Amino acid sequence: MIMSYELIDPPADGSRVTVAGDGSLEVPSDPIIPIIHGDGIGEDVGPAAQTILQAAAQATGREINWFRVYAGEAAQERYGEDVHLPEDTLRAIDEYRIAIKGPLTTPVGSGFRSLNVALRQHFDLFANVRPTYHLEGTPSPVKAPELLDIVTFRENTEDVYAGIEWEAGTQEVEQVRAFVEDEMGATGIIHDGPVGIGIKPITEKGTKRLVREAIDYALENDREKVTLVHKGNIMKFTEGQFSEWGMEVAQEEYPDEEVFAAPNSLWEAEGEIDVPEGAVMVDERIADAMLQWLLLRPDEFDVLAMPNLNGDYLSDAAGAQMGSLGLPPGANFGEGRCLAEPVHGSAPKRAGQDMANPCAITLSGALMFEYMGWYDAAALVKDAIEAAIGAGRVTYDLHRNIEGAERVGTTTFTDEVVGHIEQLAANQ
C-alpha cells in the first residue's frame, strides 16, 4: 500500500524494498530510494551522488528511481519556516526502507535539536557505520595512510546524544540539581552558580545489539578483530558497562572457534593470548589511548565498536587520515533499514559554487549498495572514484595537496567519475 503525501509525489515507476519473514532484505532491480540533498553544499553533492550512483546501477543492469524528499532548510522553504523534518519525509523513509541524505545543519546552543540525531532516533537506526580506507592517489597527513583500513561501529541512539538535558537557569535544572545533591548525596561536585545538566544513558540492549552487529560484520567480511573502545576506567557504570556487556556478547553468544573474547583483564593475567585460528578476537581499548593508536599502529585494528560520543570523535579522526572530510562515507543501520550519509558538515560558505567534493556522499551510497547486496555496483563506484582521483582532475579540497593536479568543479568531477564507471564496466 502506497502512503499518501502532502507536498511530494513518489516516482511513478519503481518497486519497494521489503523485508522477508526471516528478516532479510528483498531488493528489486528497480528500487525507489528517497534522497535528501541536504543543506549548504548538499545542493551540489546530492545531485552529483544521484548521477554517479545511477550510472553504477545502470552499468550493472539495474535502475534507481530517486524520490526527492526534504529536511532542514529545503523543508522550511517547501513546508513553512517552522517545519524542519516534515511528516512526508518520515513516511517516505519508513515506506521505502533504504534512503540517502546529504549534510544537515545543526545549530549550536539553541534552536531545534540535530536533525541527524532525530532521524536516527525516530527510525531506531542504532548503528552508525563508517569505513575508513585509503584511496590511492589521495594526499594524507600521515606517512602511510594505506595501513589504516578500519570500520567503526558507533552506537547511535543513546549516550549524551540521547538529549536528556536541562538548560542552566531553568526550574527543571534546579530540580535535577537538588535531587542529585540532596537525594543522591552527590555533594561538593557541582560548582555554585548556573549549571547545565545532562544524563548519559548506556543500556544493555543498546550496547549488545551494536556489538553483535560489529562482530557479525567482522565474521562476514573476514576481519580478524573487533575492538571495544570506551572510557570505562573513569565512567565505570556507563562506559564501563559498555565494555562488560560487549564482552558478554562475545563470550556467551558465539562459539570460541568463531569469536574469542580477550578483555584487558585476560591480557594482564596471562600476557600473550592464544587465539583459536580463524576466530575473530574481541578486545578493548581506552578511548583516549585509541586516538594515538590510530596514528601509531593503525594496521593493528579492523573493526571498532564504541558508544556514541567516542564514535563521533574517533571516526572523524580516522576519516581525516583519508586526506579530506570530503571523502569518508557513512551509513546508519537498523532492523531492515539503512540511511546513508556522509561524515562531513554542510559547509554553507561553499554552497552553490560548484566546488564541493561529492565523494563522501557517493561512497556512502556505495555502502548503501553493499547493504542492498549490490556489491558489484559498490565496487564500481569505489574503483571509479579512485581512478578519477588518480587521473589528477579533482575538486579544490584535494587539488591544493596534489602536486600537478588540475582543479575542477563538482559537475566536472562527477562527469569524470561517471566516465570511469562506464570504462570499467566495458572492460569487465
Side-chain angles (χ1 to χ4, degrees):
M1 177 181 178
I2 303 297
M3 297 184 182
S4 61
Y5 300 93
E6 182 182 1
L7 295 179
I8 53 176
D9 294 311
D13 300 318
S15 306
R16 288 193 298 168
V17 174
T18 57
V19 177
D22 62 357
S24 63
L25 282 186
E26 294 184 339
V27 181
S29 61
D30 62 341
I32 297 172
I33 297 181
I35 182 169
I36 300 169
H37 286 169
D39 296 330
I41 58 171
E43 65 182 89
D44 302 295
V45 300
Q50 280 186 245
T51 299
I52 296 170
L53 296 172
Q54 183 69 282
Q58 291 175 343
T60 54
R62 307 178 179 101
E63 184 78 22
I64 299 173
N65 295 276
W66 294 108
F67 183 7
R68 176 82 187 276
V69 296
Y70 302 85
E73 294 167 0
Q76 290 177 276
E77 294 172 4
R78 194 175 189 90
Y79 291 85
E81 102 178 36
D82 294 329
V83 181
H84 307 286
L85 188 56
E87 188 65 29
D88 278 357
T89 297
L90 297 176
R91 287 175 180 169
I93 296 173
D94 183 48
E95 180 175 1
Y96 297 107
R97 291 193 167 270
I98 306 291
I100 184 169
K101 60 174 281 296
L104 294 172
T105 300
T106 300
V108 176
S110 62
F112 60 88
R113 187 171 295 279
S114 167
L115 290 178
N116 298 315
V117 174
L119 282 163
R120 295 166 191 167
Q121 291 180 336
H122 180 86
F123 292 107
D124 198 26
L125 301 169
F126 62 86
N128 179 261
V129 180
R130 296 180 176 181
T132 307
Y133 46 83
H134 181 61
L135 294 167
E136 188 174 349
T138 304
S140 172
V142 298
K143 291 181 179 180
E146 68 279 359
L147 295 180
L148 183 67
D149 181 11
I150 65 170
V151 182
T152 58
F153 279 72
R154 168 190 176 191
E155 200 291 317
N156 227 5
T157 62
E158 47 188 36
D159 198 356
V160 292
Y161 281 74
I164 308 172
E165 59 179 358
W166 295 271
E167 184 179 3
T170 63
Q171 180 181 351
E172 290 80 7
V173 81
E174 292 305 321
Q175 289 176 329
V176 175
R177 188 211 291 254
F179 175 77
V180 168
E181 293 181 337
D182 300 341
E183 300 294 327
M184 303 301 294
T187 58
I189 297 173
I190 302 175
H191 296 300
D192 293 337
V195 58
I197 297 177
I199 292 179
K200 175 189 177 76
I202 300 286
T203 67
E204 181 179 15
K205 174 183 176 179
T207 297
K208 287 190 171 182
R209 66 180 180 177
L210 177 85
V211 173
R212 193 177 297 120
E213 194 84 1
I215 293 173
D216 288 346
Y217 178 90
L219 289 168
E220 293 165 6
N221 292 275
D222 297 321
R223 296 279 184 160
E224 296 181 356
K225 184 165 70 170
V226 175
T227 301
L228 309 181
V229 184
H230 60 89
K231 193 63 178 169
N233 57 328
I234 302 299
M235 290 172 276
K236 301 182 186 299
F237 305 125
T238 50
E239 301 209 9
Q241 298 266 220
F242 178 91
S243 172
E244 293 173 14
W245 286 325
M247 282 297 173
E248 285 179 10
V249 172
Q251 292 166 341
E252 299 173 5
E253 298 187 16
Y254 299 87
D256 286 348
E257 61 269 20
E258 285 189 4
V259 176
F260 185 81
N264 286 342
S265 58
L266 188 61
W267 286 90
E268 293 164 1
E270 301 183 12
E272 197 68 29
I273 302 297
D274 185 19
V275 181
E277 185 176 353
V280 171
M281 183 172 76
V282 178
D283 67 352
E284 57 181 321
R285 291 290 186 278
I286 300 300
D288 50 330
M290 189 67 223
L291 284 164
Q292 68 169 324
W293 297 134
L294 282 177
L295 292 172
L296 298 175
R297 301 179 186 176
D299 53 334
E300 294 186 6
F301 302 93
D302 281 319
V303 178
L304 308 181
M306 63 202 83
N308 208 329
L309 184 60
N310 292 338
D312 200 0
Y313 294 155
L314 281 152
S315 60
D316 273 11
Q321 295 189 40
M322 293 182 72
S324 168
L325 279 184
L327 295 174
N332 306 288
F333 299 104
E335 297 294 338
R337 297 190 183 280
C338 169
L339 177 61
E341 63 179 0
V343 172
H344 63 71
S346 57
K349 291 193 295 186
R350 305 293 186 189
Q353 299 180 41
D354 195 39
M355 294 177 63
N357 186 341
C359 288
I361 185 173
T362 306
L363 290 170
S364 300
L367 187 57
M368 176 184 75
F369 280 173
E370 291 176 356
Y371 184 72
M372 296 163 60
W374 292 10
Y375 294 100
D376 51 352
L380 267 182
V381 171
K382 294 177 185 177
D383 291 345
I385 285 177
E386 195 165 44
I389 293 172
R393 303 188 74 207
V394 294
T395 50
Y396 83 99
D397 57 315
L398 298 177
H399 167 263
R400 58 191 175 188
N401 293 316
I402 301 178
E403 186 175 352
E406 177 186 353
R407 175 175 167 174
V408 298
T410 309
T411 304
T412 299
F413 182 79
T414 298
D415 293 340
E416 291 282 315
V417 175
V418 170
H420 285 291
I421 286 174
E422 293 170 349
Q423 184 177 0
L424 288 166
N427 293 336
Q428 287 180 350

